[in-house]
Amino acid sequence: MNLKQLSKNLGLSQTTVSRALNGYPEVSEATRNRVRLAADQYNYSPSTRAKGLATGKALAIGHVIPLSSQHEVVNPIFADFIAGAGETYARNGYEMTLTMVEDTQEESIYRGMHSRRSVDGVVVHSPRMNDTRIPLLNEIGLPFVVHGRATGATAPYSWLDVNNKRAFHRAAKFLIDLGHRRIGLINGLEDMDFAHRRRTGYQDALRENGIKIDPTLMRSGEMTENFGHRYTRELLALPNPPTAIMTSSLISAMGARRAIEDAGLVMGRDVSVITHDDVLSYLGNGDDVPIYTATRSSVREAGRQLAEMLLTEIESPHRGTQNVLLEAELMVGQSTGPAPKI
Amino acid sequence: MNLKQLSKNLGLSQTTVSRALNGYPEVSEATRNRVRLAADQYNYSPSTRAKGLATGKALAIGHVIPLSSQHEVVNPIFADFIAGAGETYARNGYEMTLTMVEDTQEESIYRGMHSRRSVDGVVVHSPRMNDTRIPLLNEIGLPFVVHGRATGATAPYSWLDVNNKRAFHRAAKFLIDLGHRRIGLINGLEDMDFAHRRRTGYQDALRENGIKIDPTLMRSGEMTENFGHRYTRELLALPNPPTAIMTSSLISAMGARRAIEDAGLVMGRDVSVITHDDVLSYLGNGDDVPIYTATRSSVREAGRQLAEMLLTEIESPHRGTQNVLLEAELMVGQSTGPAPKI
DNA sequence: TTAGACGTTCAAAGCGCTTTCAATTTTGAC
DNA sequence: GTCAAAATTGAAAGCGCTTTGAACGTCTAA
């Protein structure tokens, strides 16, 4: 069923039917109802493609997910983020198109999206330090919002980020207050912007408390269980091992815990652990009392909000950039305790 | 830049330019090269919408991800599956559109996709017992393939599945051979088809070996860490607790391990664990020696293959249905050992 | 020389919608 | 009952592409 047939069935012009369905005021309520009824009955809904052609909008948002070419790891937070964003799109009649792409060829993907006008805007995931995508998108004039920030970007742009620096500052301070002096950091990849900020927060807290920063206690890699395990094992094998470890995700924290137990130690007693918790739906941090002490911020909620920001960006382009900085909660769980006496 | 402008610049008709770019034979090589060069230079690529309108194809595949309305859990395997499928689509010039939807309103989503012709086909995720989506899609004539199978479906349809029944049969047999007699099962939700098949495999193995099936040893729920933990704790608290536990995902297995250790027991010595491992990129099962003994099958590879099946389905609709049954490997890790003597 | 064949190009219609501008009907004030 | 204004409807153009059917040269064979 298409507009033409529907309007013929109703004995109306395509114009009127189109207007009736799109809520234009110059249609009498009587005919509007008649049209709506018929549309329902014949299960008519307009072709997105034709509508897009006619209006010049795609009614679609692009998400380009970078697959780090070396590791082929899909960022585990992405599913929940997308779920959040998807809710917003559904509510507003937008579709979401997803592209998984090796980080080496992102540029051509964005250019393509723009020149074939297949999306009205994009969400930039996993921004890196001095991310090239931001100037690129500004240049080609494709509306975008960034999940995170990119240190080094000069022009203004819209972003939503967690206050990673403060979160890790607070977490480190929390450990220091418990008497810990040797604190390890198992971070995301160093060129990721969030990892940089977290490290800064961590280092600031140490410095402010007169603790010398020891590069041997810092590791960075993909946020997988295996990396968490491997790095923790390495840290615990040091001549002067840390009494506490901070990790960048619940998943690597699980790896850390495994390594701690492999070493015959007890998490929360011998080695404290604080992690960042993205509140992934399939990876709760304990039922009642949190297992891990964690800096906590829902990535799903971030998805919802960021999608909303993008839609307003698209619908009123001259509003200027929007910036949202979410504060992470610091939830105390069972993985932290006072530094063991020597 | 659009076709009209490009062809004007070249002093050619839209027809010729279109044909040149789409590889039609009736264009001389000289002009084809000239056109290609210009298209490159002006960074021209055709509007998907217009192309879709003109050809009647959407060049897009829909993935509808059900969010169980009770739990709001995003299936953790979905990110890796999508990554696999995405590779196939990218290679073939298709886009992927994603819809997250409460499982109660899936039907209207599929109908909508079809009537507005926004996709050429869909992938059905997480099929349930007697899944209603299969007859629905057959009825409306939207090409589809299923990731998994749906017991109870009468008409033929294309699917790709892991041999869940045999995998769990083998795993259970493996435990029985190690002397285990009380084996717990922590399964996915019971109305999921894969969970049903796994339970059947498990029960068959027990029965064939003269072990009575004990419903108190069987649990099912979302495949989260918390459920794995809770159910394992319940099982271990039974008057006559199991000496081995089978779980449906690495994530719930991690929960199981936590519960085992909370109880002061050692996994692999006091309680054996076998899990299914979907080979998620962010959740490796150990580096060298697997942590968990596991039935193993890459969901990313499944995504790649299933997408390919769908594309052939779309491009040659009258080929009949395709069915692929993948066998899971049984990888022996450190989480299993002989049943403890009483 | 001419007709047919071939290789190459083009004009125009059409895909399903929106939207401008014009036409028609209804309403309300006189 | 009349007429302008308001309300309602419609014809047609246009969005950017593909594709049909026709046209134009150029060759080849008779």
Side-chain angles (χ1 to χ4, degrees):
Chain A
M1 176 67 57
N2 60 22
L3 227 211
K4 196 169 179 180
Q5 293 168 37
L6 181 62
S7 48
K8 185 170 297 174
N9 283 351
L10 282 160
L12 289 168
S13 72
Q14 296 191 33
T15 311
T16 305
V17 175
S18 167
R19 280 179 178 146
L21 293 175
N22 289 309
Y24 282 68
E26 56 268 80
V27 176
S28 74
E29 279 313 305
T31 50
R32 191 192 301 283
N33 286 332
R34 205 157 65 86
V35 169
R36 283 210 179 122
L37 222 68
D40 264 25
Q41 182 191 331
Y42 296 115
N43 208 339
Y44 166 79
S45 53
S47 148
T48 326
R49 293 196 296 280
K51 192 163 188 156
L53 235 205
T55 57
K57 335 220 85 230
L59 290 177
I61 303 297
H63 283 249
V64 181
I65 313 288
L67 294 178
S68 75
S69 39
Q70 316 129 26
H71 307 296
E72 290 241 316
V73 172
V74 186
N75 190 335
I77 69 162
F78 131 80
D80 268 81
F81 182 88
I82 290 285
E87 288 175 34
T88 301
Y89 299 144
R91 244 198 329 277
N92 292 277
Y94 278 76
E95 294 179 346
M96 164 165 58
T97 85
L98 207 63
T99 318
M100 319 292 277
V101 62
E102 275 201 7
D103 44 16
T104 51
Q105 29 174 303
E106 275 173 313
E107 173 158 347
S108 74
I109 293 289
Y110 284 115
R111 285 197 186 281
M113 282 188 157
H114 181 248
S115 69
R116 72 189 50 160
R117 276 131 298 173
S118 55
V119 298
D120 297 319
V122 297
V123 173
V124 172
H125 289 268
S126 308
R128 292 180 286 273
M129 305 284 293
N130 301 304
D131 203 297
T132 54
R133 291 172 288 178
I134 293 171
L136 170 68
L137 289 167
N138 268 327
E139 176 205 328
I140 64 184
L142 183 58
F144 70 99
V145 293
V146 181
H147 182 208
R149 278 172 286 177
T151 303
T154 53
Y157 60 94
S158 290
W159 50 261
L160 176 147
D161 199 2
V162 172
N163 196 336
N164 283 301
K165 183 173 155 191
R166 182 181 294 175
F168 267 50
H169 186 283
R170 288 179 64 201
K173 182 67 168 46
F174 178 84
L175 289 169
I176 293 168
D177 288 348
L178 284 169
H180 294 276
R181 285 298 172 272
R182 289 189 63 73
I183 302 174
L185 176 66
I186 296 182
N187 209 349
L189 287 166
E190 267 298 320
D191 61 337
M192 290 293 162
D193 195 78
F194 79 89
H196 172 72
R197 289 179 196 274
R198 287 181 183 173
R199 182 159 56 73
T200 306
Y202 156 89
Q203 290 178 334
D204 285 358
L206 295 192
R207 229 181 265 113
E208 288 162 14
N209 288 276
I211 301 176
K212 188 144 168 283
I213 285 155
D214 183 351
T216 60
L217 293 183
M218 286 157 40
R219 296 284 189 284
S220 65
E222 293 282 358
M223 296 182 293
T224 65
E225 209 270 349
N226 283 343
F227 273 92
H229 178 259
R230 180 185 309 166
Y231 288 154
T232 304
R233 196 181 51 200
E234 289 175 14
L235 290 178
L236 295 180
L238 289 174
N240 189 6
T243 61
I245 292 176
M246 295 172 57
T247 76
S248 256
S249 88
L250 206 45
I251 292 180
S252 31
M254 295 171 107
R257 180 188 201 175
R258 185 157 62 85
I260 290 169
E261 285 166 355
D262 284 357
L265 303 172
V266 175
M267 179 174 80
R269 191 192 68 190
D270 305 312
V271 183
S272 288
V273 172
I274 298 188
T275 182
H276 183 75
D277 177 7
D278 294 293
V279 197
L280 306 184
S281 60
Y282 53 88
L283 205 67
N285 181 12
D287 270 324
D288 27 347
V289 180
I291 301 160
Y292 296 92
T293 298
T295 59
R296 185 158 162 276
S297 176
S298 162
V299 79
R300 187 157 181 173
E301 180 53 34
R304 262 190 287 263
Q305 278 195 46
L306 198 54
E308 231 129 54
M309 285 167 59
L310 180 53
L311 296 190
T312 64
E313 193 101 337
I314 288 167
E315 275 151 29
S316 39
H318 303 300
R319 279 265 201 86
T321 56
Q322 314 166 62
N323 302 301
V324 176
L325 189 57
L326 303 171
E327 292 298 333
E329 309 166 296
L330 181 56
M331 306 279 294
V332 179
Q334 309 166 49
S335 66
T336 45
K341 315 275 181 230
I342 307 162
Chain B
M1 177 65 56
N2 59 24
L3 227 210
K4 197 170 178 182
Q5 293 169 35
L6 181 62
S7 48
K8 185 171 298 173
N9 283 351
L10 283 162
L12 288 169
S13 72
Q14 298 190 31
T15 313
T16 305
V17 175
S18 168
R19 281 180 178 145
L21 293 174
N22 289 309
Y24 282 68
E26 57 270 79
V27 176
S28 74
E29 278 313 304
T31 49
R32 191 191 302 282
N33 286 333
R34 204 156 67 86
V35 170
R36 283 207 177 123
L37 222 67
D40 264 25
Q41 182 192 330
Y42 296 115
N43 207 339
Y44 166 80
S45 54
S47 147
T48 326
R49 295 196 295 279
K51 192 163 188 157
L53 236 205
T55 57
K57 334 219 84 230
L59 291 176
I61 303 297
H63 283 249
V64 182
I65 313 289
L67 294 178
S68 76
S69 39
Q70 316 130 28
H71 308 295
E72 289 242 315
V73 172
V74 186
N75 190 334
I77 70 163
F78 131 79
D80 268 82
F81 181 88
I82 290 286
E87 289 175 33
T88 301
Y89 300 144
R91 243 198 330 274
N92 292 276
Y94 278 76
E95 293 179 348
M96 163 165 61
T97 85
L98 207 63
T99 318
M100 318 292 280
V101 63
E102 275 200 9
D103 44 16
T104 51
Q105 29 173 302
E106 276 172 313
E107 173 158 347
S108 76
I109 292 290
Y110 284 116
R111 285 197 187 281
M113 283 188 155
H114 181 248
S115 70
R116 72 189 50 161
R117 276 133 297 171
S118 56
V119 298
D120 297 320
V122 297
V123 173
V124 172
H125 290 266
S126 308
R128 293 180 285 272
M129 306 284 294
N130 301 303
D131 202 297
T132 53
R133 292 172 290 179
I134 294 172
L136 170 67
L137 288 167
N138 269 327
E139 175 205 327
I140 64 184
L142 183 58
F144 70 98
V145 294
V146 182
H147 182 208
R149 278 171 286 178
T151 304
T154 54
Y157 60 93
S158 291
W159 49 260
L160 175 146
D161 200 1
V162 173
N163 196 337
N164 284 301
K165 183 173 155 189
R166 183 181 294 174
F168 267 50
H169 186 282
R170 286 179 65 202
K173 182 68 167 46
F174 179 83
L175 289 169
I176 293 167
D177 289 348
L178 283 169
H180 295 275
R181 285 298 172 269
R182 289 187 64 72
I183 302 175
L185 176 66
I186 296 181
N187 208 350
L189 288 166
E190 266 298 320
D191 61 339
M192 289 293 161
D193 195 78
F194 79 87
H196 172 73
R197 291 181 195 273
R198 288 181 184 173
R199 181 159 57 73
T200 306
Y202 156 90
Q203 290 178 334
D204 285 358
L206 296 191
R207 231 183 262 111
E208 288 163 14
N209 289 274
I211 301 175
K212 189 143 165 283
I213 285 154
D214 183 350
T216 61
L217 294 183
M218 285 156 41
R219 296 284 188 286
S220 64
E222 292 284 358
M223 296 182 292
T224 65
E225 209 268 351
N226 282 343
F227 274 94
H229 178 259
R230 179 186 309 168
Y231 289 154
T232 304
R233 194 181 51 199
E234 290 176 13
L235 289 178
L236 295 179
L238 289 175
N240 189 5
T243 61
I245 293 176
M246 295 173 57
T247 77
S248 255
S249 89
L250 206 46
I251 291 179
S252 32
M254 295 171 108
R257 179 187 201 180
R258 185 158 62 86
I260 289 169
E261 286 167 356
D262 284 357
L265 303 171
V266 174
M267 179 174 81
R269 191 193 68 190
D270 304 313
V271 183
S272 289
V273 172
I274 297 188
T275 182
H276 183 75
D277 177 8
D278 293 294
V279 198
L280 306 184
S281 60
Y282 54 88
L283 206 66
N285 180 11
D287 270 324
D288 27 345
V289 181
I291 302 161
Y292 297 92
T293 299
T295 59
R296 184 157 162 277
S297 176
S298 162
V299 78
R300 186 157 182 172
E301 180 54 33
R304 262 189 286 263
Q305 277 195 47
L306 198 55
E308 229 131 54
M309 285 167 61
L310 181 52
L311 297 190
T312 64
E313 194 101 336
I314 288 167
E315 274 151 29
S316 39
H318 303 299
R319 278 267 201 83
T321 57
Q322 314 165 62
N323 302 303
V324 175
L325 189 57
L326 303 171
E327 292 299 334
E329 308 165 297
L330 181 56
M331 306 280 293
V332 179
Q334 308 166 50
S335 66
T336 45
K341 316 274 182 232
I342 309 163

